[in-house]
Amino acid sequence: MSVSSPSSVDPTRISDLPKLVGTTATVSGWVTHLRSSGKIAFIVMRDGTGLLQCVVPKKEVSEATWEQFGALTLETSITVSGEVRTDARQVGGVEMGLKELTILGASALDYPIQPKEHGVDFLLDNRHFWLRTPRQVAIMRIRNEIEQAIHDFFYERGFLRVDTPILTAAIGERSGLFATEYFDEGNAYLAQTGQLYGEAAAAAFGKIYTFGPTFRAEKSKTRRHLTEFWMIEPEVAFNDTHANMRLQEDFVSFLVQRVLERRPAELTEVGRDVSKLEKVKAPFPRIDYGDAVAILQKKGSTVQWGDDLGAEDESLLVEDHELPVFICNYPKKAKAFYMKENPDDPRTVLCNDLLAPEGYGEMIGGSQREDDHDKLRARIIEEQLPVEAYAWYLDLRKYGTFVHSGFGLGLERTVAWICGTPHIRECIAFPRMMHRLHP
Ligand code: 4AD
Ligand code: MG
């Protein structure tokens, strides 16, 4: 069933209703709750901007309207008209005394998501419906707030946003690649990072950031891995690794403060302990990789100098801190080829991971970039990467090389930490994981 009603005014939304108390209003939405005593009925509906309770006294509505009520099922789309009244007990502080009810689209009785516990696989199979539920709406609004805050942060600081290619020939990180045939050019790879293009853009524009989807064909089934995730990658000319970390802590503090200021209702909906977030203000502690290994060994970890740090190690390292923690200057062998050799200890590189508190793990990976042409070329060969594909990248070191650094913030991991959700699959509208391509 479909209805079209060309209208000269924009539809009223539930969030507009507090301004319309005392008037008659008309709104459209979907039924989320129904109950009736036989004499008085209640419809709770949602429209994506809020919830509205409509009160339907049998005596005060027409027989036809009362019958319409009887035909409602969960998720039926409806239009209601009636008087907007103050009711302090309701979310939004208003309710509607219903006068008219129109069914726009019926909803079959077997709507998959019922008011009961569902397993997560079932919910993911029904993600197109799961998204309609209050917790999911809150997470997506917080995600949107973070996305907007990211753009505001960089815009206010004079960064240029650069959109880097998703189909690439060059390779960025070590983890798995998704390949697709590309006409006569051989394989194209879905971008794992926009960074290398970001570096070229930094030489053109000074301060840039990218904001786009990135892809990793990793066979990881952890609560922190998606095969498609969104990454924000600033790249700044003439910033060294220290300036890079200052930018990261200012950035993360800004994002957290913004959500606290503008999304308190959503943080309540997801059950977040905001007292933990309120403490997140720069500066963040910095721990040298070597010291981190010593701390971990004292805590009983089997990690050895030279190893990359795993999820368990990361949790152990943050357990004594309330702030995100920088782990600095990892061994060269554990990190990507493009990181700058540490002049004070050439076994290591000038880089950092930023670990989120409360065991949410690595939220950011950043580094100063190798700006020495020959050292970079040697690292590319050492890693057995195809030097030809990196010719343009090496050129950046041939024509006016420059100190520069940048980082990548994983959006879903950041949303997961700020919302306090255990798994990042809830932090993107339609998650892509090793065993999930639908819906
Ligand atoms: O540490 P990564 O691999 O760093 C880079 O890609 C660099 N090119 C960034 C840069 O310096 N411009 O990834 C950066 C962040 C991680 O810290 C994590 O938050 C997120 O991206 N990330 C993932 N998020 C979800 N699923 C995955 N499979 C992820 N892999 C990385
Ligand atoms: Mg990393």
Side-chain angles (χ1 to χ4, degrees):
M1 185 174 160
S2 69
V3 170
S4 70
S5 54
S7 160
S8 57
V9 283
D10 290 339
T12 302
R13 307 287 167 182
I14 291 173
S15 59
D16 301 326
L17 295 179
K19 292 178 301 209
L20 299 174
V21 169
T23 68
T24 294
T26 300
V27 290
S28 300
W30 293 263
V31 172
T32 64
H33 262 296
L34 294 165
R35 69 198 151 87
S36 170
S37 70
K39 288 189 188 128
I40 184 162
F42 297 91
I43 306 169
V44 181
M45 62 188 281
R46 55 163 192 89
D47 72 347
T49 75
L51 286 175
L52 174 66
Q53 170 164 280
C54 304
V55 184
V56 196
K58 189 173 180 189
K59 276 193 189 151
E60 289 172 34
V61 296
S62 69
E63 212 164 290
T65 299
W66 187 256
E67 259 166 43
Q68 288 269 63
F69 171 81
L72 296 179
T73 56
L74 272 191
E75 296 297 324
T76 302
S77 52
I78 56 176
T79 297
V80 295
S81 297
E83 192 200 347
V84 184
R85 305 191 291 236
T86 311
D87 182 348
R89 290 164 305 175
Q90 304 299 325
V91 195
V94 298
E95 66 171 19
M96 177 179 279
L98 186 134
K99 288 275 152 12
E100 278 171 49
L101 167 64
T102 313
I103 293 178
L104 302 175
S107 172
L109 271 172
D110 57 353
Y111 181 67
I113 298 192
Q114 295 289 329
K116 62 166 195 177
E117 284 284 310
H118 292 289
V120 75
D121 279 326
F122 178 85
L123 290 170
L124 283 167
D125 288 341
N126 289 283
R127 184 63 173 163
H128 49 306
F129 294 136
W130 189 24
L131 274 178
R132 302 179 179 192
T133 60
R135 177 183 165 81
Q136 300 305 312
V137 170
I139 294 172
M140 287 304 135
R141 286 215 183 272
I142 291 171
R143 179 184 166 114
N144 183 63
E145 192 65 55
I146 294 169
E147 292 188 353
Q148 188 60 47
I150 289 166
H151 292 305
D152 291 348
F153 179 89
F154 287 121
Y155 188 84
E156 284 163 13
R157 283 161 185 75
F159 284 64
L160 187 87
R161 178 179 173 180
V162 177
D163 300 317
T164 52
I166 289 169
L167 291 168
T168 65
I171 306 162
E173 302 298 323
R174 286 177 168 181
S175 33
L177 286 163
F178 287 111
T180 182
E181 267 175 50
Y182 197 80
F183 308 109
D184 299 329
E185 299 292 313
N187 270 344
Y189 303 97
L190 296 184
Q192 296 177 315
T193 169
Q195 176 197 323
L196 307 197
Y197 298 98
E199 290 183 49
F205 310 113
K207 301 193 276 187
I208 67 95
Y209 73 107
T210 71
F211 193 132
T214 43
F215 305 86
R216 308 260 167 119
E218 293 168 290
K219 292 191 171 162
S220 317
K221 287 184 275 182
T222 79
R223 57 201 177 86
R224 294 181 191 162
H225 286 88
L226 298 168
T227 51
E228 177 180 296
F229 63 98
W230 287 68
M231 191 160 37
I232 293 84
E233 297 185 273
E235 192 69 35
V236 185
F238 312 119
N239 260 14
D240 65 8
T241 191
H242 302 291
N244 193 36
M245 284 190 272
R246 288 194 296 272
L247 182 64
Q248 291 167 54
E249 62 196 0
D250 287 347
F251 180 48
V252 169
S253 305
F254 181 90
L255 301 183
V256 170
Q257 291 309 313
R258 171 67 82 84
V259 175
L260 284 168
E261 266 164 46
R262 300 203 187 170
R263 295 288 155 202
E266 285 79 3
L267 288 169
T268 305
E269 174 64 45
V270 299
R272 187 63 165 113
D273 177 356
V274 290
S275 69
K276 295 225 164 85
L277 295 177
E278 278 159 0
K279 296 188 180 126
V280 178
K281 291 195 179 119
F284 301 158
R286 289 148 168 76
I287 304 176
D288 191 76
Y289 169 86
D291 297 333
V293 169
I295 295 170
L296 287 169
Q297 287 173 344
K298 249 190 222 139
K299 286 179 185 265
S301 165
T302 56
V303 71
Q304 294 297 318
W305 199 101
D307 297 345
D308 202 359
L309 305 181
E312 268 173 45
D313 295 325
E314 292 174 351
S315 295
L316 286 174
L317 284 171
V318 298
E319 69 184 4
D320 307 323
H321 298 273
E322 290 181 320
L323 292 169
V325 178
F326 286 115
I327 310 296
C328 314
N329 301 353
Y330 284 70
K332 203 182 271 177
K333 293 269 173 311
K335 290 291 177 188
F337 71 93
Y338 51 70
M339 296 185 181
K340 185 166 178 64
E341 188 179 279
N342 180 0
D344 296 332
D345 179 359
R347 298 176 306 161
T348 65
V349 281
L350 297 176
C351 72
N352 72 268
D353 279 0
L354 181 65
L355 310 182
E358 301 170 66
Y360 283 89
E362 180 198 327
M363 180 174 31
I364 288 183
S367 61
Q368 189 173 322
R369 317 307 188 187
E370 184 55 79
D371 46 39
D372 181 292
H373 177 276
D374 294 348
K375 279 188 175 155
L376 181 61
R377 190 165 187 282
R379 284 288 291 134
I380 290 172
I381 291 165
E382 205 179 347
E383 291 284 317
Q384 299 180 330
L385 297 168
V387 189
E388 330 74 63
Y390 292 93
W392 65 268
Y393 184 65
L394 282 162
D395 276 353
L396 302 175
R397 279 74 179 165
K398 214 161 136 190
Y399 302 94
T401 194
F402 60 119
V403 167
H404 61 293
S405 59
F407 62 89
L409 171 118
L411 182 60
E412 290 76 17
R413 290 194 193 174
T414 306
V415 175
W417 163 53
I418 293 180
C419 289
T421 64
H423 199 301
I424 67 172
R425 64 192 162 205
E426 272 183 279
C427 299
I428 184 163
F430 294 97
R432 294 290 173 255
M433 294 174 286
M434 198 180 152
H435 296 298
R436 186 157 295 280
L437 198 51
H438 300 283

